Amino acid sequence: MPQKKPVSSSPINAREFDQLIRLFGLLEAEPLVAVGVSGGADSLCLVLLLDSWLRRRRGRAVALIVDHQLRPEAKREIQQLVGWLANYSIEYHVLVWSDEKLGRTGQAAAREARYELLTGWCRRAGVLHLALAHHRDDQAETHLLRKARGSGADGLAAMPIVWEHNNVRLLRPLLSVPGTRLRATLLCMHQRWVEDPSNDDPTYGRTHVRRKLAKLSEENKGAAHIATVASDYASVRGGADEVTALLLVRVTQIDPAGFCWLDQMLLAEAPTKVGLRALTQILLAIGGNKYGARRESLLLLYEALRKNQIAGGRTLGGCCITPSRNGILICREPAAADHVLSLLPGQWSLWDHRFHVALGRCCVGGRRQFKVHRLGVNGWCAVKRKRSGVNERTLPLFVRYCLPALWDLDGLVAVPHLDYSRGDSFGGGQQPFTANFRPRRAFAAPPFQGVNSLVPVTGNTK
């Protein structure tokens, strides 16, 4: 496909890119960074700049190419991209998406699928950092899209420069750079790129936003102005995150079995906005959800906690909220913890979006069909039959039922949080199945960082 003529802009030089990338703290002795590369100008520019920067520090970049198998010309474009990467001696991996449903989903669902594929590769390869090529125009588009959908202040902050997804750090070092400068950089390198026809497909909402952004640019209210607005929202969100984190330290006691105790009196003393944010974070971490509960439902729960009217308990966001002598117990709702995960010896994964589970290779008896799912009533009964002296008061009832447990064709194999292991399952007296509480959304993640955290960029910023 013919490439569009870029607006006159200056390329990004090595010194400027060094200023942009230093913020991300790639301090390993030989840093290894994965880069999502589509062949478009943005991602190709990022992988070339980043690989050059890393090689000067005895590191390297690895290009991850997702083949969605949606367009017949995609194979040819990937072959072309692979040839370009080979010219720079950049390692690459083609990740094939095989889900036939992908073609019938929207851009947001497809984006989530890509993230799962990319971060999944990073986890398996032991790579901590995944760089993405979102730039200033993308940031402005995201802000406008969320504004049109009625997002609140947090959503209008658009994309952060650093985010954690599936225990992988997502880095966006070009978020303050106009897209035209990335194309100018490639032209300076005499490097071609691929134009994605979906960028102009009117069936996608982002295409209409892009056209609206072009019109606003004519009124001097284009990407630069809108990105600045998003940056202002990001500053507010970052400050709120810091205050919320301090409150969470005071009001919660987190247990490695995946639940927490909440001091409702201390929560009630906090300003309402901060208390609501804290409650949202707790429910996201315990419930394993990506998005918070509806505001109306959250307000009802918050008021019930504040007024001590929680007798009988509540459920919200996949969590059970129950009063007890130790405070308010917030744990996973057993009916919602229905994730069944197949696991082979030597593999690890994320179960129920809350637990990092791993199975060692020292399994005996030739068993290969292992699954991880909740302990449940039957599993708890199996534990009690084998260990009659087990203390039922060690963990609350619903917590026990939601514990990650390893099963095979013969039944329950292991429950790490109860120190339970079936005698014939593992050799050498070892316990190769582990389950560590690492929820998809942490109780108190690092404060949101917007574009204002990056150094200003020079050059033409049209």
Side-chain angles (χ1 to χ4, degrees):
M1 176 170 289
Q3 296 172 6
K4 300 175 183 178
K5 184 178 179 181
V7 178
S8 175
S9 295
S10 60
I12 303 170
N13 58 45
R15 180 175 176 274
E16 185 179 353
F17 187 76
D18 178 70
Q19 290 179 307
L20 289 169
I21 201 67
R22 279 183 179 275
L23 173 71
F24 297 93
L26 305 177
L27 303 177
E28 298 93 329
E30 297 178 357
L32 177 63
V33 181
V35 186
V37 183
S38 66
D42 309 336
S43 59
L44 190 55
C45 180
L46 174 60
V47 73
L48 296 183
L49 289 173
L50 184 56
D51 185 67
S52 176
W53 187 88
L54 290 168
R55 286 179 188 271
R56 292 195 295 272
R57 290 154 183 82
R58 296 185 299 172
R60 59 191 173 90
V62 178
L64 302 183
I65 306 164
V66 176
D67 181 4
H68 295 119
Q69 304 187 93
L70 297 178
R71 296 185 294 116
E73 63 271 26
K75 292 288 185 185
R76 176 181 53 80
E77 292 172 354
I78 289 175
Q79 290 175 354
Q80 190 175 35
L81 172 58
V82 164
W84 291 335
L85 294 170
N87 291 337
Y88 296 93
S89 300
I90 295 176
E91 179 184 342
Y92 65 88
H93 296 270
V94 179
L95 312 179
V96 179
W97 182 261
S98 57
D99 192 341
E100 295 179 357
K101 299 176 184 176
L102 185 62
R104 300 191 294 272
T105 60
Q107 280 188 317
R111 182 168 56 252
E112 285 301 311
R114 283 197 300 273
Y115 284 168
E116 292 298 321
L117 206 55
L118 293 169
T119 55
W121 184 93
C122 289
R123 291 199 311 269
R124 290 190 299 274
V127 176
L128 174 61
H129 312 287
L130 172 63
L132 304 172
H134 297 113
H135 50 73
R136 193 183 67 183
D137 304 341
D138 298 319
Q139 183 76 325
E141 290 171 10
T142 300
H143 175 86
L144 289 177
L145 274 171
R146 293 183 179 179
K147 185 177 181 180
R149 293 169 183 164
S151 291
D154 280 3
L156 294 178
M159 294 179 283
I161 60 170
V162 181
W163 194 248
E164 185 176 302
H165 185 78
N166 289 345
N167 295 313
V168 177
R169 289 181 77 217
L170 307 186
L171 316 178
R172 297 185 175 99
L174 301 178
L175 207 53
S176 62
V177 181
T180 52
R181 296 199 60 204
L182 307 184
R183 288 167 168 75
T185 303
L186 290 182
L187 288 175
C188 186
M189 296 177 177
H190 305 288
Q191 175 61 57
R192 300 174 62 200
W193 63 87
V194 175
E195 291 286 358
D196 185 351
S198 67
N199 289 334
D200 296 317
D201 189 338
T203 60
Y204 296 125
R206 191 171 283 270
T207 302
H208 297 286
V209 170
R210 192 171 292 123
R211 292 172 180 172
K212 178 180 179 181
L213 195 58
K215 291 181 180 179
L216 289 173
S217 296
E218 298 172 3
E219 305 169 7
N220 294 322
K221 294 181 180 179
H225 170 76
I226 295 169
T228 299
V229 174
S231 182
D232 291 340
Y233 277 106
S235 297
V236 174
R237 179 173 175 178
D241 285 347
E242 289 184 356
V243 174
T244 304
L246 291 173
L247 176 62
L248 284 167
V249 170
R250 296 176 56 222
V251 302
T252 59
Q253 294 182 32
I254 305 168
D255 192 280
F259 70 96
C260 78
W261 297 105
L262 172 69
D263 188 325
Q264 66 187 110
M265 300 305 295
L266 289 178
L267 181 72
E269 292 173 2
T272 300
K273 285 186 177 181
V274 181
L276 284 169
R277 288 182 72 91
L279 186 57
T280 298
Q281 288 297 112
I282 294 170
L283 296 178
L284 285 172
I286 300 296
N289 293 315
K290 183 177 181 181
Y291 300 108
R294 293 177 62 87
R295 184 169 178 81
E296 295 82 1
S297 302
L298 187 70
L299 280 168
L300 287 173
L301 175 60
Y302 176 78
E303 285 301 312
L305 288 169
R306 193 176 66 83
K307 296 176 181 178
N308 197 22
Q309 297 175 348
I310 203 73
R314 304 284 179 92
T315 60
L316 185 62
C319 300
C320 289
I321 302 96
T322 341
S324 76
R325 289 177 298 177
N326 297 326
I328 300 295
L329 168 67
I330 302 183
C331 67
R332 187 74 160 118
E333 185 181 0
D338 56 359
H339 183 203
V340 178
L341 173 72
S342 295
L343 201 63
L344 294 174
Q347 283 188 337
W348 63 277
S349 189
L350 190 66
W351 177 76
D352 198 35
H353 297 300
R354 300 183 303 130
F355 285 91
H356 179 289
V357 294
L359 182 59
R361 297 185 180 276
C362 54
C363 303
V364 299
R367 296 185 177 88
R368 302 292 297 178
Q369 300 183 41
F370 290 95
K371 292 187 182 298
V372 180
H373 55 87
R374 69 186 178 212
L375 180 63
V377 178
N378 293 336
W380 172 244
C381 290
V383 172
K384 288 202 298 181
R385 280 195 301 270
K386 183 174 180 181
R387 294 173 52 191
S388 57
V390 65
N391 185 358
E392 297 190 14
R393 296 184 179 181
T394 302
L395 293 173
L397 180 65
F398 281 180
V399 172
R400 283 178 254 150
Y401 291 169
C402 293
L403 290 174
L406 184 70
W407 303 74
D408 66 6
L409 296 177
D410 296 327
L412 184 63
V413 175
V415 190
H417 292 92
L418 298 178
D419 197 25
Y420 171 88
S421 177
R422 196 174 65 204
D424 66 336
S425 303
F426 306 122
Q430 298 183 23
Q431 167 60 290
F433 176 62
T434 58
N436 297 307
F437 184 47
R438 295 182 187 173
R440 172 163 60 177
R441 292 289 295 270
F443 279 83
F448 190 96
Q449 290 181 280
V451 175
N452 55 347
S453 300
L454 290 168
V455 297
V457 295
T458 59
N460 190 310
T461 57
K462 286 185 180 180

